[in-house]
Amino acid sequence: MKRYLILEDGTVFPGEGFGSSIITTGQLVISNNRTGIEQSVTDPDTEGQILAFTIPSVGNSGINRDFYESINSQCKGVVIGSSSLSTVDGSISFENWITGLRIPGIKNVDVRALAKHIAEHGEMKASIMDTHDEHAMDQIKALVLPPDLVKRVSTRQSYPNPNMGLKIVIVDLGLKYSILRQLSYRDCNSIIVNYNSTAEEIENLHPDGIIYSNGPGNPTDLPNTIKTIQTLQKRYPILGIGLGNLLIALANDCRIIRLKEPHHESSLAVKEVASGKIDFVNHNHSYTLDEKYIGGSDFIVTNVCVADGTIEGIRHEYLPIMCVLFEPEAAPGPTDGYYVFDEFIDLVESVKKQEGVRNQWN
Amino acid sequence: MAKEIIDGQTMTRALTRITYEIIERNKGIDDLVLVGIKTRGVYVAHRIESRLKQLENISIPVAELDITPYRDDQTHEETDLSSIKAEPLDIDINNKHVILTDDVLYTGRTIRAAMDALMSVGRPKKISLAVLVDRGHRELPIRADFVGKNIPTSQKEKIKVSMKEIDGEDKIEIE
């Protein structure tokens, strides 16, 4: 069935529909991921997003259904060049998988032209529709994207991920399961809480450390979470990932800026400033920190993107706070970033040890 | 048989973490001085210095300290400590916060000797200790402020630290 990808500025990309046949609208995100399509589509960060993959052909070795980052995909739609119908080892094809997830898709789209258009004209809203008449244009122009993306993906009820190690409270802003996998691997006894949990509620869980997770949308839409961070950061070691990093920065008088060329790529080089070490890690963010405000803050820059110099990680000089903007849990992408979790565990343990020493003397 | 227990990557990470901790606990690194105990402690000091420079854009003086004359665990001959002339450090440590660095912390005797050597050339405001490995079995009341890795050992075991600058690669082995 012929369908159309219509952009906010009126540009139309014709293609062929697959998956769910509903009309969909969302923020168009150009993803340069070549592998780990399963993880990209199921990532809660895709709430409210239409994902366009620049790779010419998607799912050539089938879909691995063991790779998922959330139970229900939040993705609003997928745009691809082409996909393979044959699979390896009897796994399902990309199109069948998307149909099963009830996500609308459009294929045979000139994704290179689309990516180029977005690179030139900036990020846009888009819609996958059956027609491209004036009515359709009016609809997309009138579209206002919802500001409560985090509310939609964050867990409503707190739940545990039990183990015998350090107790970590994770504030779910759109948590990817691979963060839990990394913590489980390190024996962490985690509790996952709603993004709007108060400082008191989190303190009552008596954590050794707190993680602010990745998530979708604009961090300035979450003033309550920022206030909670300001209270908690004086008392607990904190790790911020992605959106969590941006919120922690905002809680400490830093500013954020929207990237001209957003980072949506599963393997992009990042340099660790201290040692000069290069890691290839997964990126999925449209905002970064404004360099001008880092100098006057108590943060030091710990990681930068090699390609465009974007800040990718910060650390507080006096408080035990560390943040990365990239996704250390990978999924998709290379696993170079796993060390961030080791570093956080080290940080939590060293704070615990110092508290132990202090208690001995008091 | 030597068994590698820490690889180059983990060692790099440990040094980076020590650097972060030094920044965190010092509230400004302006009056810091790094003093490396020969041989590998010097390389540890230089690596921390280069990390601090990358992160904070401040160059910290690094000095090398030869503590051989002050050792009490190597020679059995009677040595009169007062007769030893201290080798002058090429930096001023008076009123500075000195961070002593070494590769392995074991009995604590090396560190005591290093502190003696430091005191004989100046009066630091404070002395801290950063080590790559703390293997336990102290014979003196000394502890490290910054530890890369705690490795519990038996006294029969040996810890061998290799560093790129002198041994060609970064690793820590136990045998």
Side-chain angles (χ1 to χ4, degrees), chain A residues 272-275 300-302 315 317-318 339 342-343 346 350 353-354, chain B residues 12-13 16-17 20-21 23-25 27-28 50-51 54-56 150:
Chain A
E272 188 182 60
V273 175
S275 63
I300 44 173
V301 176
T302 52
R315 199 175 173 118
E317 283 186 291
Y318 316 131
Y339 77 91
D342 293 324
E343 231 171 53
D346 284 346
S350 83
K353 210 165 156 188
Q354 274 178 49
Chain B
T12 309
R13 228 188 55 223
T16 307
R17 185 170 52 76
Y20 290 142
E21 284 181 2
I23 296 172
E24 198 182 302
R25 283 194 229 154
K27 321 224 167 207
S50 87
R51 282 165 167 77
Q54 291 297 322
L55 287 167
E56 296 275 26
N150 283 301

Side-chain angles (χ1 to χ4, degrees), chain A residues 333-345:
Chain A
T335 57
D336 292 12
Y338 283 177
Y339 77 91
V340 171
F341 292 99
D342 293 324
E343 231 171 53
F344 181 58
I345 300 289

